[in-house]
Amino acid sequence: MRRVSELQVREAIANFNFTGRLKDRRPFGSGHINDTYLLTFEIGDMGDMSAILQRMNREIFLKPVELMENIVGVTSHLREKIIENGGDPERETLNIIPAKDGKAYYIDSKGEYWRSYKFITDAKCYDQVEKPEDFYESAVAFGNFQRLLADYPADTLHETIKGFHDTRARFEVFKQAVAQDVCGRAASVAREIEFVLAHEETARVFGELQEKGQVPLRVTHNDTKLNNIMIDNSTRKGICVIDLDTVMPGLAMNDFGDSIRFGASTAAEDEKDLSKVSCSMELFEIYVKGFLQGCAGSLTPKEVELLPMGAKVMTYECGMRFLTDYLQGDHYFKIHREDHNLDRARTQFKLVEDMEGKWDIMEEIVSRYGNL
Ligand code: ADP
Ligand code: GN1
Ligand code: MG
């Protein structure tokens, strides 16, 4: 991904409907995909106000206009529901700050797409669970999110990344990456490659269930990691679900599973010391409880039963994606050190193994809360 130049970011700032004097500008957050900045403006006697500015990753999001159409649609829908429920739409969903021409995005002179959101104050995103209660609240919020979008017209949503959670298709791409081995890295990661290949069954399971009509497509978030939710600093509630780039028809189990692979891990996603990496059953249980509560009965018994599988499939798929990117030369996920994607892949495979060893416990927990 091309670096953002100073001129480019200045051009973007000049073309949004911001007011006040720009006081500070800094890179923000730890997302792997977009380039995010926090802007702080001084507005006369009213004090400071912040905004988020993002350059959207154009190598990944090939149809940015359609993507922003999705976000406008989804956030407008959420806004109405939040108001109906007596909530605060300024804090509980993303609010787009339009460009000067009124559009939801700005195209700079290099053809790159930018967007801006109101900054959600007094709330934080976490890269790892600090308090189990926060993880519970994030689960309620992600479950809620899915429920609030249950009546969203799914056929109006554009597919922002084709086959995003089509694990079978990703398995094929992985095999190609191994065969092509463009960076000559395959030999050094033979064990990890073997792990992926030996788990082909995990890549197939959801595609097959969908084909048999046993699991429904819903409007889902598809990227439910803990740092895509803002936790309110004072109430500690999961106040706002962010990073709506991948809201598309998908599977409830995948939204559940992606949260588990990231948030229920006892270590960071890129931890080098694998002895620190395991799937905490305490956090798994907390998340099951919160997610089912947030979904409020909207999941079918089959979907509930498949929640442990969601955790395993998402963790496996994510590891496979990291390893694919490593083999292809690190073009997709941002890396901050050598072998970063390999380290990330290894933690995911360690988690898959750990989940396999704890399968009975995971099923028992789900059956306990699923019967509530
Ligand atoms: P990426 O796709 O790169 O993960 P995100 O949309 O998740 O991009 O944004 C990256 C980070 O920026 C988030 O994890 C969060 O910390 C912060 N962020 C994004 N939007 C907002 C917002 N409206 N208010 C406050 N922080 C935000
Ligand atoms: C990316 O954008 P971010 O950092 O929230 C990725 C997810 C992966 C995740 C792994 C659009 O999420 O699918 O699960 O990294 N997002 C996209 O941490 O590919
Ligand atoms: Mg993100």
Side-chain angles (χ1 to χ4, degrees), residues 175-317:
K175 283 198 299 190
Q176 265 175 35
V178 174
Q180 289 168 349
D181 193 19
V182 289
C183 299
R185 289 172 163 176
S188 64
V189 292
R191 267 190 30 220
E192 287 75 11
I193 292 173
E194 194 38 53
F195 184 90
V196 174
L197 297 178
H199 280 78
E200 183 173 356
E201 187 48 37
T202 310
R204 306 196 157 276
V205 55
F206 283 162
E208 288 174 2
L209 286 168
Q210 260 178 281
E211 277 157 14
K212 290 187 205 143
Q214 293 188 359
V215 285
L217 270 183
R218 301 180 181 277
V219 175
T220 48
H221 183 277
N222 296 305
D223 188 2
T224 52
K225 60 182 186 182
L226 188 63
N227 65 19
N228 284 332
I229 195 151
M230 312 271 326
I231 309 269
D232 187 288
N233 292 343
S234 48
T235 65
R236 305 302 293 197
K237 298 274 180 221
I239 188 89
C240 182
V241 172
I242 62 167
D243 203 345
L244 304 178
D245 292 333
T246 52
V247 174
M248 287 181 278
L251 301 176
M253 299 83 77
N254 286 344
D255 267 9
F256 169 84
D258 205 23
S259 297
I260 297 298
R261 73 146 197 97
F262 190 86
S265 171
T266 51
E269 189 185 60
D270 58 358
E271 175 59 58
K272 277 167 166 292
D273 179 356
L274 292 182
S275 69
K276 292 185 178 156
V277 181
S278 67
C279 182
S280 155
M281 288 298 103
E282 184 207 347
L283 292 176
F284 181 84
E285 175 162 354
I286 282 170
Y287 201 90
V288 168
K289 187 174 160 199
F291 190 72
L292 289 177
Q293 199 173 317
C295 289
S298 58
L299 302 189
T300 65
K302 186 76 183 165
E303 287 177 295
V304 174
E305 180 197 316
L306 287 166
L307 292 180
M309 189 53 82
K312 181 167 156 182
V313 169
M314 276 301 94
T315 312
Y316 168 73
E317 183 193 276

Side-chain angles (χ1 to χ4, degrees), residues 150-166:
D151 58 346
Y152 191 80
D155 53 342
T156 63
L157 279 172
H158 306 283
E159 196 174 18
T160 50
I161 298 179
K162 216 174 162 320
F164 189 55
H165 285 318
D166 183 342

